[in-house]
């Protein structure tokens, strides 16, 4: 038993740490906005573009890269993605301008993340075959992802204020090097299949479609006509993608994504909740960070310290994930998470409008952290467990793409409202937070549609509330 525990820790350590650093990278730049914009002679919108592009590149490439893990092997893609990510972090650390920062952070780190994240969930799914152990593994990995996103502002703020924002990227490079060392003993349970077909046309159609949709959202405060054009193009490309993969599947050729993935009700609703969860996490992080730095004139470290409340919330609920999974159904945890998160957003609106005290942000951020931490794990477990082993590459890529697309939407939608001319100061903050609250209600609606017994739809057993064992 002790030997198995050590083996489990050795497997989970690099996987969880990889999810941590990728989530950290998506949020730590939020508290560096003023420092980066001054140092690189750019604007808040310029830094927002870099952050959004990083998240967008992850989202659009996650599905193609997950398919390539079948051809090249999961461990090889994991290590190769880490190496590319590390190079991107080093380039970002020495960037003389916004263009080089986008190359290092948005492009190289974004592509590296797209390669390394799908193997994290595929390897965990293949290594932990029973419901209880898989829930525990996903709890650790997803919890570290949530902690990384929530702790990003704090760690980034400390490094930026104490040394320089450039050192935050060096920190990422050091963590990546550590993961590579820890990952060397990992075994790939499935052999690579170099002859596995790859749907290049489908990859291009899906990537262009998602890119156009997000780029259109970013134009909302600058050019309404351009926004409509790109949103229309994006929707058109995505519709073309679904028509194309359906025809390819009917012709007996392997598509980028099997249409079977979209016929599972449990998975579809789980993906919807995942998307909204990460939208809320990244949206709240960006909005509050920008508001504190540009309106309240807070330093990077002061902004990061305030976000400690959200970090503590995610940490506490993530550590309790296994215990909660034994006592409550997955859909119950997801629903409760959304209710707590919406309450937290309400407190951010109520307390901040009524007081200029810095502690006014703490109760809301704490509840948001608790709510998101409660539902991250069951959403991932519900989606991954809805499909058999041979579909894990596809569903892992789709799941991560949907989550990262949520992060992208959070930064793009809320950030665009925050820096637009629709309002200013407290009013822009309120408008952005109200928008996030409305989107959280959509997530709750999806959670309410989840059926009581997921085992009848997904082929996996629901945990017994009393014992945590499969029913």
């Amino acid at each position: 038993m002790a030997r198995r525990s050590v083996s489990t820790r050795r497997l989970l350590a690099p996987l969880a740490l990889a999810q941590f650093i990728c989530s950290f990278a998506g949020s730590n730049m939020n508290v560096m906005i003023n420092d980066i914009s001054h140092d690189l002679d750019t604007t808040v919108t310029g830094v927002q573009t870099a952050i959004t592009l990083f998240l967008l590149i992850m989202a659009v490439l996650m599905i193609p890269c997950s398919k390539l893990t079948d051809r090249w092997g999961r461990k090889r893609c994991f290590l190769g993605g880490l190496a590319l990510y590390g190079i991107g972090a080093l380039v970002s650390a020495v960037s003389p301008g916004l263009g080089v920062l986008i190359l290092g952070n948005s492009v190289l780190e974004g592509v590296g993340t797209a390669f390394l994240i799908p193997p994290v969930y595929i390897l965990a799914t293949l290594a932990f075959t029973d419901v209880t152990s898989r829930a525990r593994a996903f709890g650790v990995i997803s919890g570290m992802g949530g902690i990384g996103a929530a702790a990003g502002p704090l760690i980034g703020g400390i490094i930026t204020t104490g040394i320089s924002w450039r050192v935050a990227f060096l920190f990422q490079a050091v963590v990546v090097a550590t993961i590579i060392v820890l990952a060397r003993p990992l075994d790939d349970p499935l052999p690579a299949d170099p002859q596995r077909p790859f749907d290049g046309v489908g990859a291009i159609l899906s990537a262009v479609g998602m890119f156009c949709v997000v780029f259109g959202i970013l134009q909302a405060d600058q050019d309404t006509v351009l926004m409509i054009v790109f949103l229309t193009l994006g929707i058109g490309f995505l519709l073309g993608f679904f028509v194309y993969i359906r025809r390819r599947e009917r012709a007996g050729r392997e598509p980028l994504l099997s249409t079977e993935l979209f016929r599972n009700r449990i998975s579809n609703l789980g993906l919807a909740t995942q998307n909204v969860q990460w939208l809320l996490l990244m949206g709240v992080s960006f909005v509050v960070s920008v508001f504190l730095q540009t309106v309240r004139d807070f330093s990077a470290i002061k902004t990061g310290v305030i976000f400690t409340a959200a970090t503590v919330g995610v940490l506490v609920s993530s550590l309790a994930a296994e215990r909660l999974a034994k006592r409550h159904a997955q859909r119950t945890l997801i629903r409760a998470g959304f209710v707590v998160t919406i309450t937290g957003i309400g407190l951010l609106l109520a307390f901040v409008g009524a007081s200029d005290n810095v502690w006014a942000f703490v109760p809301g951020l704490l509840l948001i952290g608790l709510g998101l931490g409660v539902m991250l794990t069951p959403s991932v477990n519900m989606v991954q467990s809805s499909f058999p082993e041979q579909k894990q590459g596809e569903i892992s890529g789709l799941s991560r793409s949907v989550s990262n697309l949520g992060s992208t939407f959070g930064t793009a939608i809320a950030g665009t409202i925050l820096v637009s001319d629709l309002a200013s100061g407290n009013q822009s903050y309120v408008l952005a937070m109200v928008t996030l609250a409305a989107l959280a209600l959509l997530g709750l609606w999806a959670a309410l549609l989840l059926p009581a017994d997921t085992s009848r739809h997904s082929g996996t057993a629901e945990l017994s509330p009393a014992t945590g064992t499969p029913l």
Side-chain angles (χ1 to χ4, degrees):
M1 181 66 70
R3 183 175 299 174
R4 182 179 179 183
S5 177
V6 172
S7 176
T8 299
R9 286 198 298 269
R10 287 179 177 174
L11 171 64
L12 280 179
L15 302 181
L17 199 54
Q19 179 62 81
F20 168 86
I21 198 62
C22 292
S23 298
F24 170 88
S27 67
N28 84 118
M29 279 181 66
N30 291 339
V31 296
M32 307 176 189
I33 290 173
N34 278 346
D35 294 82
I36 292 177
S37 59
H38 292 156
D39 195 13
L40 302 185
D41 193 25
T42 184
T43 62
V44 171
T45 302
V47 181
Q48 180 200 7
T49 299
I51 296 171
T52 304
L53 283 176
F54 166 72
L55 298 168
L56 178 58
I57 288 173
M58 281 196 296
V60 302
L61 294 182
M62 200 68 72
I63 296 173
C65 288
S66 70
K67 295 289 285 188
L68 289 174
T69 62
D70 295 325
R71 288 171 63 100
W72 298 344
R74 282 126 304 262
K75 181 178 179 179
R76 182 180 298 176
C77 287
F78 183 62
L79 293 176
L82 285 167
L84 190 59
Y85 184 105
I87 293 171
L90 293 175
V91 170
S92 301
V94 299
S95 56
L98 182 62
V100 177
L101 179 65
I102 289 176
L103 172 64
N105 175 248
S106 306
V107 179
L108 294 178
E109 288 191 36
V111 174
T113 302
F115 269 109
L116 73 91
I117 287 298
V120 168
Y121 290 86
I122 297 171
L123 292 171
T125 302
L126 297 177
F128 301 93
T129 55
D130 64 279
V131 175
T132 304
S133 64
R134 185 177 293 172
R136 184 182 302 117
F138 284 152
V140 173
I141 295 171
S142 299
M144 286 295 286
I147 292 170
L154 174 61
I155 299 174
I158 293 173
I159 295 175
T160 300
T161 303
I163 312 175
S164 166
W165 62 267
R166 299 178 185 274
V167 178
F169 287 103
L170 295 179
F171 167 76
Q172 293 180 43
V174 171
V175 173
V176 166
T178 303
I179 299 170
I180 291 175
V181 173
L182 293 174
R184 291 181 63 185
L186 285 179
D187 291 323
D188 193 339
L190 296 177
D193 182 7
Q195 304 305 315
R196 185 77 177 264
F198 179 73
D199 182 9
V201 175
I204 293 173
L205 288 173
S206 64
V208 173
M210 286 190 281
F211 178 85
C212 287
V213 169
V214 175
F215 188 78
I217 293 172
L218 290 174
Q219 304 309 307
D221 68 318
Q222 300 176 16
D223 192 325
T224 304
V225 175
L226 199 60
M227 176 192 73
I228 295 173
V229 169
F230 273 95
L231 286 176
T232 303
L233 283 173
I235 294 171
F237 271 104
L238 291 176
L239 289 175
F241 166 69
F242 284 108
V243 172
Y244 170 78
I245 62 173
R246 190 172 182 181
R247 288 180 178 176
R248 186 177 174 93
E249 205 168 36
R250 287 176 174 176
R253 303 172 65 191
E254 184 175 343
L256 182 70
L257 277 178
S258 171
T259 56
E260 178 187 345
L261 298 180
F262 302 99
R263 291 196 290 265
N264 187 304
R265 184 173 177 233
I266 294 294
S267 174
N268 289 342
L269 291 171
L271 288 171
T273 62
Q274 277 185 232
N275 181 274
V276 177
Q277 289 162 21
W278 285 96
L279 183 155
L280 295 173
L281 182 56
M282 298 305 297
V284 169
S285 175
F286 187 84
V287 169
V288 176
S289 295
V290 173
F291 176 74
L292 291 178
Q293 292 173 86
T294 60
V295 178
R296 296 288 179 86
D297 294 322
F298 283 12
S299 65
I301 189 169
K302 194 173 182 180
T303 302
V305 168
I306 292 173
F307 267 93
T308 304
T311 307
V312 170
V314 173
L315 180 61
V316 169
S317 53
S318 297
L319 290 175
E322 183 180 353
R323 188 180 304 109
L324 291 171
K326 292 178 179 180
R327 297 179 179 178
H328 306 283
Q330 293 181 122
R331 70 165 189 167
T332 301
L333 295 176
I334 297 172
R335 292 173 178 179
F338 273 115
V339 171
V340 173
T341 301
I342 292 170
T343 303
I345 294 175
L347 289 180
L348 282 180
L349 285 167
F351 286 4
V352 173
S355 171
D356 290 333
N357 193 307
V358 64
W359 297 109
F361 290 88
V362 172
L365 289 174
L366 177 62
L367 284 182
I368 290 172
L370 287 170
L372 292 172
V374 162
M375 57 182 167
L376 285 174
T377 297
S379 287
V380 172
N381 193 27
M382 183 177 291
V383 171
Q384 294 286 152
S385 300
S386 295
F387 296 94
E389 187 174 286
Q390 61 268 28
K391 291 290 184 182
Q392 286 304 310
E394 287 184 282
I395 191 58
S396 178
L398 178 60
S399 174
R400 295 303 90 206
S401 180
V402 167
S403 295
N404 283 294
L405 199 58
S407 299
T408 308
F409 284 150
T411 304
I413 296 173
T416 298
I417 294 172
L418 194 67
V419 300
S420 70
D421 295 328
L422 295 173
S424 60
N426 284 5
Q427 290 181 333
S428 64
Y429 166 82
V430 169
L431 185 58
M433 294 304 295
V434 167
T435 302
L436 290 175
L439 293 169
L441 288 172
L442 289 177
L444 176 59
W445 176 68
L448 291 173
L449 294 177
L450 287 167
D453 186 2
T454 60
S455 62
R456 285 181 295 186
H457 301 270
S458 66
T460 58
E462 179 78 355
L463 291 177
S464 164
T467 65
T469 58
L471 293 172

